[in-house]
Amino acid sequence: MATDTSSPRPPLPDGLTQTEFQAFGGLLRLHSTLVKQLDADLIAAHGLPLSSFEVLLMLANSPQGGLRMSDLAQRAFLSPSGMTRLVQRLAGQGLIEQRACDDDGRGSFAVMTPAGRERFEQAATTHYQHIRDRFLCFFSEDELRQMGDFFGRLSATGGDC
Amino acid sequence: MATDTSSPRPPLPDGLTQTEFQAFGGLLRLHSTLVKQLDADLIAAHGLPLSSFEVLLMLANSPQGGLRMSDLAQRAFLSPSGMTRLVQRLAGQGLIEQRACDDDGRGSFAVMTPAGRERFEQAATTHYQHIRDRFLCFFSEDELRQMGDFFGRLSATGGDC
DNA sequence: AAAGATTGACTTATCAATCTTG
DNA sequence: CAAGATTGATAAGTCAATCTTT
């Protein structure tokens, strides 16, 4: 498909300018394409979907050696019930375990099993290589910093300009 | 949550540098947050999920007045079956219709109904305003161009660096 | 009563298989 | 047989309701 390079910046039929549309539409396209690729890569190489990997990553990086369900859910951008089900799947595979919270009887604490840690460590290296090959490699160090600044800008405020 | 601004750029426990992680992680976070907000906005204001809106948008912008299923699927980053089901839902709401292709007996052609066009036109204005309020307004014109360039860079190549 | 977590019912997407036409 | 589209079975997520603990 040949990209249209004709007009500089007229309001498109969309109601967004070409620049606006390329920024917003580009975000949707990039995310969709990239996440599908990385997910497929990770499943092919280690039988581990991206969502599962991210849970293992959070647990691996946790100083406690584990995290509460609500923390996991927030950090993975999942609903509480969504995280409950994801954790149940991972527990079924023997990769993590759930314990009660010491200090809070309501809480549930997820920790990696040795099998989970091993699986994570195997997956991590190749996964980061995939992220580089499919995404990071297209940009210079400065550009990555710039992009990080862009993405961080929205979460800095509560969501208002 | 206070952002950590301590160290400049050490390799994180992740295996990605801080810069790399902020670019990649920021993409995931931005997309998740933004799409959820826009979807909820659009449903609240017009009873129309984002995915449905995008189908109506593509049909509205089509010179033919309609598009083939396979075209719709590709442009919306959906599988063929996913698009079949989305179109079925929209047809059930009377917003679009399916016809046979004139030139190709296998093809299925989707066109908007008058009701669909009206619904689309009502939704469009407020939706683009939401996109501006929640995303575009955080950036200057130059920055949006820069971002569009970043996002476009991956699709330009086949996926290799 | 509010917070943390889970469960039931449901939505939306996918893959593999199938049907029809080229 | 290949391409376009749809269907059946299934996967993974959401919301609303529920249960337990604070």
Side-chain angles (χ1 to χ4, degrees):
Chain A
M1 150 189 31
T3 307
D4 179 20
T5 55
S6 52
S7 47
R9 184 171 19 108
L12 288 189
D14 311 352
L16 294 180
T17 66
Q18 188 179 21
T19 303
E20 288 174 330
F21 179 76
Q22 284 182 358
F24 178 67
L27 172 67
L28 299 186
R29 182 172 40 67
L30 169 60
H31 179 272
S32 170
T33 306
L34 183 58
V35 164
K36 270 174 200 156
Q37 286 177 337
L38 293 176
D39 197 54
D41 286 344
L42 203 45
I43 290 172
H46 301 280
L48 214 53
L50 198 50
S51 55
S52 299
F53 179 85
E54 309 229 317
V55 169
L56 294 181
L57 169 64
M58 292 189 276
L59 296 178
N61 284 345
S62 157
Q64 309 269 351
L67 285 169
R68 295 184 63 149
M69 296 300 292
S70 45
D71 281 339
L72 281 171
Q74 271 201 301
R75 300 190 200 192
F77 316 113
L78 276 188
S79 66
S81 55
M83 184 51 75
T84 292
R85 302 204 141 117
L86 177 47
V87 162
Q88 285 169 345
R89 265 173 277 153
L90 286 166
Q93 297 176 270
L95 301 177
I96 70 178
E97 267 179 13
Q98 278 185 292
R99 304 190 182 152
C101 267
D102 297 340
D103 49 332
D104 186 344
R106 298 167 301 179
S108 180
F109 205 70
V111 295
M112 270 201 293
T113 62
R117 182 166 293 277
E118 189 180 359
R119 187 74 157 282
F120 166 72
E121 280 164 6
Q122 289 168 358
T125 310
T126 58
H127 178 52
Y128 294 125
Q129 194 56 50
H130 292 150
I131 295 178
R132 291 207 177 83
D133 293 344
R134 300 217 183 261
F135 176 54
L136 300 170
C137 69
F138 292 95
F139 306 99
S140 72
E141 179 79 10
D142 274 355
E143 288 173 330
L144 289 176
R145 235 188 304 275
Q146 176 76 44
M147 212 183 308
D149 165 54
F150 286 162
F151 295 153
R153 206 174 287 182
L154 285 90
S155 50
T157 83
D160 274 338
C161 296
Chain B
M1 149 191 31
T3 306
D4 178 20
T5 55
S6 51
S7 47
R9 186 176 12 116
L12 289 187
D14 311 352
L16 293 182
T17 66
Q18 188 179 22
T19 302
E20 289 174 330
F21 178 76
Q22 285 181 358
F24 178 68
L27 172 66
L28 299 186
R29 183 173 39 66
L30 168 59
H31 179 273
S32 169
T33 306
L34 184 57
V35 164
K36 272 175 198 156
Q37 286 177 338
L38 292 176
D39 197 52
D41 287 344
L42 203 46
I43 290 172
H46 301 280
L48 214 53
L50 198 49
S51 54
S52 299
F53 179 84
E54 308 228 318
V55 170
L56 295 182
L57 169 64
M58 292 189 278
L59 295 178
N61 284 346
S62 158
Q64 310 269 353
L67 285 169
R68 293 184 66 149
M69 296 301 292
S70 47
D71 282 339
L72 282 171
Q74 270 202 300
R75 300 192 199 191
F77 316 112
L78 277 187
S79 63
S81 54
M83 184 52 74
T84 293
R85 300 197 145 120
L86 177 48
V87 162
Q88 286 168 343
R89 268 173 274 150
L90 287 166
Q93 298 176 273
L95 301 178
I96 71 179
E97 266 180 14
Q98 277 185 293
R99 305 190 182 149
C101 266
D102 296 339
D103 49 334
D104 186 344
R106 299 168 300 180
S108 181
F109 204 71
V111 295
M112 271 202 293
T113 62
R117 183 166 291 276
E118 189 179 359
R119 187 74 157 285
F120 165 72
E121 279 165 5
Q122 288 167 359
T125 310
T126 59
H127 178 52
Y128 294 124
Q129 194 56 50
H130 292 149
I131 295 177
R132 292 207 177 83
D133 294 344
R134 300 218 184 260
F135 177 53
L136 300 170
C137 69
F138 291 95
F139 307 99
S140 72
E141 178 79 10
D142 274 356
E143 287 174 331
L144 288 177
R145 236 188 304 275
Q146 177 75 45
M147 212 183 305
D149 166 53
F150 286 162
F151 295 152
R153 205 173 290 181
L154 284 90
S155 50
T157 86
D160 273 337
C161 295

